[in-house]
Amino acid sequence: MIRRLQVRFVCITMSIVLVMLCAIFWMVSAMTRRNMEKASLEFLYAAAADPDRRFERVDREDAPQFPYFVLDRLADGTVELAGAGGYTGLDQAQMDDLVGLAEASENDFGVLGEYSLRYFRLESVSGVRVAFADISGEVRTLQEMARDGVAIMAVSLLVFLGISVLLARWAVRPVEEAWKSQKQFVADASHELKTPLTVIMTNAQMLQSAADPEQVSRRVEYISAESRQMRDLVEQLLELARSDTSLPGQQMEPVDLSRTAEMCALTFEPVLFERRHTLLCQIAPGLYVRGSRGRLEQLLGILLDNANKYASPDSQVRLTLRRLDKGRCLLEVFSQGEPLTREQCRKVFQRFYRADPARSADGGFGLGLSIAAGIVRQHGGSIWARPEADGNTFAVRLRTLRRPAAP
């Protein structure tokens, strides 16, 4: 699919470039032809108007010079040469033929293609005067321009083809990454669901042949435990799907983030105490953000739960909320333990990523931090992890609001 998308992108780009190049070449050719024709006609008009003083009237540095000659048909029907410049070898039969062709035309000017001549006819009471200019040089110029234009177009198309291929790879890269992430997500979710399903099916089969009540009770307990694990995984997958969508407008409201952080800290303090962790809080008062109170509580719960799981025994967990400049605030959760590597800090927010194999043994699926990252995106903030000398810090930056007026 990605390959077809790249090919389609290149084809569309090259089609647009080809149409634009053809349009530009046509416009340049048309303008050049029109300018050359205009200059030639001005030259012929001057020559026809006054053959004897033709150089005085048209001999300018910016005026093109053409091989030309001027013929007059007198009242008695004879044709004679009135003037010429750079053009020789005319006999009487040719002059009669050329004047006859010019007189037969409905227009006062035109081109005699078989002779490579442009004419301008000027009628008067004494007869007809026709000025002719050799346009073979003009034709050669247009032909050379056409050849050069085709060559330039070919080179340009090759250059644009290379650029289009590079642009196609660059433009499709996010789609390719999303496609790979989706495939990996489906594979990981299937793997996570396969294990409890296998345990449930195995225990169900053994339960059919079990006669001992104690064995039956133990099998039922296994099935119940794995069912709860599957339920938790499905709930987290649904929560992850919710975090990928934007919050509805009615859920966005001013939230006292300072108060929310204090309440979450009080809720998690007994949980941390059970694992012999000490919770320290430094929360600046009066920090408000626009968002969903429930989703922000969930964000704090994920970060504190993650710190609780991976902090070293008898260590500290610090929750910090402080004001930054430019209307922003910084929320940080620090836990003492083994520092993550730079690569792990980049990958820790990926779905189903486990920096520590103990994650699965501790009841986690590697989705919590992914959900946290989705919540932060919904609120227009940024989240990152950084290693410290004696642990790790997960930081969230959000935009703040002015304190709402009391109702």
Side-chain angles (χ1 to χ4, degrees), residues 158-224:
L158 290 176
V159 173
F160 277 108
L161 177 60
I163 296 175
S164 299
V165 171
L166 295 177
L167 287 177
R169 294 177 180 175
W170 174 77
V172 177
R173 189 175 301 155
V175 179
E176 184 177 6
E177 292 176 355
W179 175 255
K180 290 180 179 179
S181 299
Q182 182 180 5
K183 291 176 63 178
Q184 186 65 37
F185 175 76
V186 173
D188 292 339
S190 301
H191 175 74
E192 294 292 342
L193 289 170
K194 181 179 179 180
T195 301
L197 280 174
T198 302
V199 174
I200 291 173
M201 293 177 63
T202 302
N203 282 277
Q205 292 174 358
M206 297 180 69
L207 186 61
Q208 292 176 353
S209 59
D212 185 5
E214 183 180 351
Q215 187 178 7
V216 171
S217 178
R218 187 168 61 251
R219 298 299 175 192
V220 172
E221 184 179 351
Y222 290 159
I223 292 175
S224 178

Side-chain angles (χ1 to χ4, degrees), residues 376-391:
V376 172
R377 286 196 301 270
Q378 288 176 340
H379 289 77
S382 56
I383 184 171
W384 68 93
R386 69 173 184 268
E388 308 288 353
D390 56 345

Side-chain angles (χ1 to χ4, degrees), residues 95-131:
M95 291 190 297
D96 293 339
D97 188 27
L98 291 174
V99 172
L101 292 173
E103 290 176 334
S105 176
E106 297 180 356
N107 298 321
D108 292 335
F109 59 89
V111 174
L112 304 178
E114 61 273 22
Y115 293 99
S116 294
L117 294 173
R118 176 176 284 111
Y119 69 88
F120 180 82
R121 187 179 65 210
L122 185 64
E123 297 184 5
S124 63
V125 293
S126 59
V128 176
R129 171 168 291 176
V130 185

Side-chain angles (χ1 to χ4, degrees), residues 15-87:
S15 299
I16 296 174
V17 170
L18 180 60
V19 171
M20 292 182 62
L21 287 177
C22 290
I24 293 173
F25 177 73
W26 179 83
M27 288 189 293
V28 172
S29 299
M31 292 177 62
T32 303
R33 184 187 298 273
R34 184 179 60 186
N35 292 335
M36 295 179 70
E37 180 180 352
K38 180 181 178 181
S40 178
L41 288 174
E42 289 178 352
F43 184 87
L44 289 176
Y45 178 80
D50 193 353
D52 295 333
R53 300 183 61 184
R54 56 190 178 277
F55 293 109
E56 296 180 7
R57 293 179 179 268
V58 301
D59 190 10
R60 305 188 312 269
E61 292 183 358
D62 58 341
Q65 299 294 324
F66 306 90
Y68 74 99
F69 57 93
V70 180
L71 301 179
D72 286 339
R73 182 181 290 279
L74 304 179
D76 57 1
T78 59
V79 176
E80 66 178 15
L81 182 65
Y87 205 101

Side-chain angles (χ1 to χ4, degrees), residues 5-15 161 164-166 168:
L5 187 61
Q6 289 178 340
V7 172
R8 183 174 298 180
F9 182 91
V10 172
C11 291
I12 293 175
T13 304
M14 293 305 298
S15 299
L161 177 60
S164 299
V165 171
L166 295 177

